[in-house]
Amino acid sequence: MHIVVCIKQVPDSAQIRVHPVTNTIMRQGVPAIVNPYDLYSLEEALRLKDRYGGRITVLSMGPPQAETALRKAISFGADEAILVTDRAFAGSDTLATSYALASAIRQIQKDIPVDLVFAGKQTIDGDTAQVGPGIAKRLDMRLLTYISKIRELEIDHGTITVERRAEGGVQVLKTKLPCLVTVLEGTNEMRFATMNNMFRAARHPLKVWNKESAGIEDLTKIGLKGSPTIVSKVFAPSPKAVKAEIIDTESNQPKDLAVTLLAKLFTKKPDLAQDIAKNAP
Amino acid sequence: MSEVTEPRKPTRKKVELDPKLALYKGVWVFVEHERGQVHPVSWELMGEGRKLADKLGVELAGIVMGAPGEDVQKFCHQAMHYGADLCYLIKDEVLKDYRNEPFTKGLTDLVNAWQPEILLIGATTLGRDLAGSVATTLKTGLTADCTELAIDMDNRSLAATRPTFGGSLLCTIVTLNYRPQMATVRPRVMAMPPRDESRTGKIVEHPLGMIETAIITKVLEYIPDNVQGKPQLAFADIIVSGGRGMKKQENFQRIWDLAKVLGAEVGATRPVVQAGWVEADRQVGQSGKTVRPKLYIAAGISGAIQHRVGMEDSDVIIAINSDPNAPIFDFATYGIVGNAMVIVPALTDAFRQHLSTSRMAG
Ligand SMILES: Cc1cc2nc3c(=O)[nH]c(=O)nc-3n(C[C@H](O)[C@H](O)[C@H](O)COP(=O)(O)OP(=O)(O)OC[C@H]3O[C@@H](n4cnc5c(N)ncnc54)[C@H](O)[C@@H]3O)c2cc1C
Ligand SMILES: Cc1cc2nc3c(=O)[nH]c(=O)nc-3n(C[C@H](O)[C@H](O)[C@H](O)COP(=O)(O)OP(=O)(O)OC[C@H]3O[C@@H](n4cnc5c(N)ncnc54)[C@H](O)[C@@H]3O)c2cc1C
């Protein structure tokens, strides 16, 4: 069995700060990490490999530094890593990104057929959750999103049975391989890298593909040119003009403050008094 | 690619659009339903879609897809009550449970047949699965998880705004030379529009043209969530939330007491959830629930942006904080500067008093 896991390197958003004057993101010193959601997918792929054997190829599109993310994936147990990197990809939106990644997966398939593609539920920077569905459509693979459990893989029949999170419950779905799976957070916990794999990760010869080796046929479909969406403006949320009315009383005793607040509240919002009365047990 | 932290090339104000795009007309809202119930985000979007359609001077249509046994006809009429001028309906046995393949085909075919200029879908698990597939099939742009929609009258394009980097920044995205312009929109951000039962309109049926044997994915089972006893913050009218300022789990009882008197749900900030004082389902904010109650009481909460984005659209916000400079006072409606340990119980008493007098009176 051959599994491709798509991973993206992202800035650690917990450490992102916005410049108070220029409103731009201050990314100096912000560490780059593997998109946390992708680790759930990678771990799920590793578990399938533990159970059924096979190999895992990790794939990332990004600047040369994204190599670090791929090595990290190898330290967890992935077998092969491919970095798709070319200036021509800069500015790609999700439509262009899914085109580039789907092309690369077609190239990978030329060597060994791919049974499963894993992608993260979403990233923590672009945060669109659109690249997974996009790749599936472009490769004409079945799409299984928000998967909380892989129940069964029947390799001989080429089928997979999964639990999918829907709005009000869980759907149990069965479909045919090849398919693309996105994994829900909390489905599993990433294993620790073994000493062996850490050594392997440090020495592993990554494959680095430019647009030609990634099999890009139509240059108008990648980068800014291939991106229908355009970011026209980035700005900070405007502070609310009106600040809170601070309740004050002569005594400033809790009881007086509370009574004064309620009086103001119900004078200004008479409906709220009714709503509360309706709501109260 | 990962050069995502800088805005891409800003658009010039006046852009010449391909005249073919003018063939695309109308605003569409996908009506999502599950187990006989329309997801409220669809009606929130209908309200928003109405405004966009009026601005553009075009029709607003609801898109309903489902099986004959489901209440699809009723959903069409409801869509009109909430603002749609007409509905497109695909009714087919294979649409009984959501599956990507038939829904993607149905919606893509509808778009190709009727060519709307804007297509809006709720940013739910179903909506994001479907929208990503449909946009890729149509080779058009899709803006994700928006919190604000507007029309740029310069070129009649949809300007869709979405929070990024945890809400600390917003970005506005346009799709210029592609149609339809697609966006998914976060639930509970847009206001629920009023419902007008007198509104009617036509229902245009469209065939799916796909049979069960052609669909590879099968639904074996559906296990509904056990919602009994689970917090339902997203739909609560009143929420009492506590933050790290409550100091210990025992003190959090004061939040529960106030909530009980009001029949309210209890909410919390992330540190409170992380400390294990309340279950994760109660977290309000960027990585928790977005809520929009009529009354939100925040005690011992600083008002960090990640919390704020989840609750700032509440009708009335009452904040209790010992620090007069806490950011929560910048956007709350009323504030009490003081110790939540004594103010919250005082509020509980005052509300209890108010309720018993109003009951005696009424
Ligand atoms: C502020 C901001 C807002 C944006 N909004 C939009 C928008 O609304 N619509 C739009 O089309 N584009 C948008 N983009 C562009 C978008 O971020 C890029 O297209 C990006 O390359 C992929 O999207 P994502 O990060 O949202 O990935 P998601 O779709 O959230 O990623 C899902 C999964 O796909 C895989 N994946 C994604 N990217 C890669 C990669 N480069 N290499 C390997 N695997 C990958 C990973 O497994 C990932 O977990 C936005 C960018 C920014 C900075
Ligand atoms: C990626 C990311 C996602 C996040 N998602 C969320 C999210 O979904 N929801 C969320 O809430 N947070 C989220 N956070 C965390 C967020 O940044 C804040 O840290 C958090 O909201 C602060 O919680 P708090 O207000 O309870 O605590 P603090 O910020 O510590 O505030 C405590 C407040 O209590 C006041 N106080 C102290 N003692 C008293 C007293 N006796 N009486 C009255 N007031 C008192 C203090 O003045 C202070 O203002 C996220 C952060 C990141 C990085």
Side-chain angles (χ1 to χ4, degrees):
Chain A
M1 194 185 34
H2 186 198
I3 306 176
V4 172
V5 182
C6 298
I7 63 172
K8 185 182 180 191
Q9 191 179 51
V10 296
D12 185 351
S13 80
Q15 301 194 34
I16 288 255
R17 295 286 173 274
V18 178
H19 193 282
V21 179
T22 58
N23 273 336
T24 50
I25 303 257
M26 305 194 290
R27 49 178 162 172
Q28 294 91 322
V30 176
I33 55 171
V34 179
N35 175 38
Y37 292 107
D38 297 351
L39 295 179
Y40 299 110
S41 293
L42 178 59
E43 174 60 26
E44 212 52 36
L46 289 167
R47 287 182 187 189
L48 289 180
K49 184 187 156 185
D50 292 344
R51 251 161 86 187
Y52 303 100
R55 61 188 283 115
I56 296 176
T57 302
V58 280
L59 170 67
S60 188
M61 178 177 100
Q65 310 79 284
E67 176 188 337
T68 323
L70 289 169
R71 290 203 189 276
K72 189 97 196 164
I74 289 187
S75 77
F76 289 128
D79 299 285
E80 183 77 74
I82 298 169
L83 173 63
V84 177
T85 187
D86 199 308
R87 293 203 68 88
F89 295 119
S92 292
D93 73 355
T94 57
L95 191 70
T97 300
S98 69
Y99 176 80
L101 290 173
S103 298
I105 293 171
R106 276 197 204 96
Q107 295 303 104
I108 295 172
Q109 280 185 319
K110 286 185 181 161
D111 284 336
I112 317 174
V114 172
D115 304 289
L116 275 164
V117 178
F118 277 92
K121 187 190 89 169
Q122 65 196 60
T123 60
I124 59 167
D125 59 346
D127 191 16
T128 65
Q130 288 167 194
V131 172
I135 296 174
K137 286 297 131 181
R138 290 181 180 282
L139 295 173
D140 194 22
M141 285 185 177
R142 295 322 107 209
L143 171 64
L144 301 170
T145 54
Y146 303 100
I147 300 309
S148 55
K149 186 174 182 179
I150 296 183
R151 280 197 178 176
E152 199 179 13
L153 195 65
E154 291 183 286
I155 301 199
D156 299 340
H157 296 96
T159 60
I160 184 170
T161 308
V162 297
E163 294 183 9
R164 170 175 193 272
R165 169 109 306 262
E167 283 299 306
V170 171
Q171 274 185 323
V172 183
L173 297 173
K174 180 171 185 172
T175 196
K176 287 212 174 86
L177 303 178
C179 65
L180 185 141
V181 178
T182 77
V183 178
L184 205 64
E185 67 270 27
T187 296
N188 55 42
E189 218 170 296
M190 178 47 82
R191 61 195 58 196
F192 289 105
T194 62
M195 217 30 124
N196 245 340
N197 279 334
M198 286 206 265
F199 283 128
R200 199 166 57 83
R203 290 193 308 256
H204 185 84
L206 296 185
K207 288 189 184 161
V208 179
W209 287 359
N210 61 11
K211 58 182 189 297
E212 285 82 24
S213 21
I216 303 298
E217 285 167 4
D218 187 347
L219 287 180
T220 64
K221 292 198 170 139
I222 58 168
L224 270 180
K225 234 188 270 156
S227 299
T229 65
I230 299 166
V231 178
S232 71
K233 199 165 73 170
V234 178
F235 56 103
S238 58
K240 251 198 185 172
V242 234
K243 293 200 172 195
E245 175 181 349
I246 302 291
I247 306 298
D248 235 338
T249 64
E250 230 159 85
S251 71
N252 267 342
Q253 285 301 307
K255 181 166 185 272
D256 298 341
L257 288 169
V259 170
T260 311
L261 171 65
L262 259 58
K264 287 202 187 229
L265 180 65
F266 293 136
T267 316
K268 193 160 159 212
K269 297 264 172 189
D271 293 356
L272 196 59
Q274 282 164 18
D275 287 327
I276 289 178
K278 250 193 322 201
N279 217 52
Chain B
M1 10 199 248
S2 296
E3 293 303 303
V4 290
T5 44
E6 297 294 324
R8 279 170 282 161
K9 207 165 47 192
T11 49
R12 272 161 291 131
K13 253 277 162 298
K14 196 81 187 168
V15 183
E16 289 307 321
L17 297 190
D18 187 335
K20 276 207 298 270
L21 300 184
L23 297 174
Y24 287 80
K25 271 220 155 56
V27 177
W28 283 13
V29 172
F30 177 78
V31 178
E32 170 177 344
H33 60 95
E34 191 178 63
R35 312 283 126 183
Q37 211 100 73
V38 172
H39 196 293
V41 70
S42 303
W43 302 147
E44 293 160 17
L45 276 182
M46 206 57 88
E48 205 58 23
R50 184 71 263 164
K51 292 185 212 156
L52 301 180
D54 289 345
K55 187 116 196 245
L56 289 164
V58 297
E59 283 185 321
L60 172 68
I63 308 303
V64 179
M65 299 171 68
E70 299 178 299
D71 288 330
V72 287
Q73 220 80 24
K74 185 175 101 190
F75 300 153
C76 289
H77 292 298
Q78 287 177 345
M80 303 196 241
H81 298 160
Y82 281 110
D85 297 307
L86 76 163
C87 274
Y88 294 96
L89 169 64
I90 304 186
K91 198 161 67 177
D92 195 301
E93 225 24 91
V94 307
L95 297 172
K96 186 160 172 298
D97 282 293
Y98 174 76
R99 283 179 292 176
N100 181 271
E101 297 152 82
F103 273 77
T104 300
K105 176 175 188 331
L107 188 51
T108 309
D109 286 354
L110 276 180
V111 167
N112 285 327
W114 303 96
Q115 305 196 316
E117 56 196 298
I118 292 174
L119 170 55
L120 306 176
I121 300 178
T124 59
T125 53
L126 187 161
R128 289 182 122 183
D129 183 280
L130 178 64
S133 306
V134 168
T136 311
T137 312
L138 294 167
K139 308 281 185 294
T140 190
L142 170 59
T143 306
D145 208 22
C146 302
T147 53
E148 211 181 307
L149 301 172
I151 300 291
D152 178 351
M153 271 326 243
D154 272 352
N155 42 33
R156 292 175 63 91
S157 65
L158 176 70
T161 298
R162 53 180 309 230
T164 66
F165 295 107
S168 38
L169 278 184
L170 297 168
C171 70
T172 303
I173 295 183
V174 292
T175 299
L176 288 180
N177 263 313
Y178 298 80
R179 290 294 179 272
Q181 307 162 83
M182 290 181 62
T184 60
V185 178
R186 192 177 288 186
R188 309 294 290 170
V189 173
M190 309 294 179
M192 188 59 104
R195 187 181 163 138
D196 178 357
E197 307 265 342
S198 68
R199 285 186 55 95
T200 57
K202 65 174 185 220
I203 298 176
V204 181
E205 287 211 38
H206 195 96
L208 178 67
M210 196 176 202
I211 52 170
E212 185 55 46
T213 46
I215 304 170
I216 297 171
T217 304
K218 305 293 175 198
V219 181
L220 302 186
E221 206 186 330
Y222 183 90
I223 310 160
D225 290 340
N226 181 8
V227 290
Q228 213 136 34
K230 281 263 172 68
Q232 297 292 320
L233 255 67
F235 303 103
D237 275 342
I238 306 174
I239 295 176
V240 184
S241 280
R244 185 152 42 189
M246 297 309 291
K247 303 247 173 33
K248 312 197 263 230
Q249 184 162 21
E250 296 94 276
N251 297 339
F252 216 79
Q253 188 56 41
R254 295 173 168 80
I255 302 289
W256 289 99
D257 292 344
L258 174 54
K260 189 159 175 231
V261 165
L262 293 171
E265 277 289 359
V266 166
T269 60
R270 189 165 84 161
V272 165
V273 167
Q274 280 173 342
W277 298 354
V278 300
E279 58 272 52
D281 283 351
R282 299 197 181 275
Q283 183 177 322
V284 173
Q286 183 215 332
S287 45
K289 301 266 182 316
T290 302
V291 299
R292 210 190 163 114
K294 295 185 169 134
L295 176 61
Y296 189 93
I297 302 179
I301 293 178
S302 60
I305 185 73
Q306 291 89 353
H307 188 75
R308 177 177 174 172
V309 293
M311 45 67 82
E312 65 185 331
D313 288 326
S314 308
D315 286 353
V316 177
I317 299 171
I318 296 176
I320 302 136
N321 198 304
S322 50
D323 173 5
N325 297 317
I328 189 124
F329 291 130
D330 292 343
F331 60 95
T333 327
Y334 296 104
I336 294 184
V337 179
N339 182 356
M341 305 310 155
V342 293
I343 305 282
V344 173
L347 272 176
T348 308
D349 289 341
F351 274 116
R352 193 186 284 122
Q353 186 71 40
H354 165 84
L355 280 162
S356 69
T357 27
S358 69
R359 264 188 202 137
M360 275 193 303

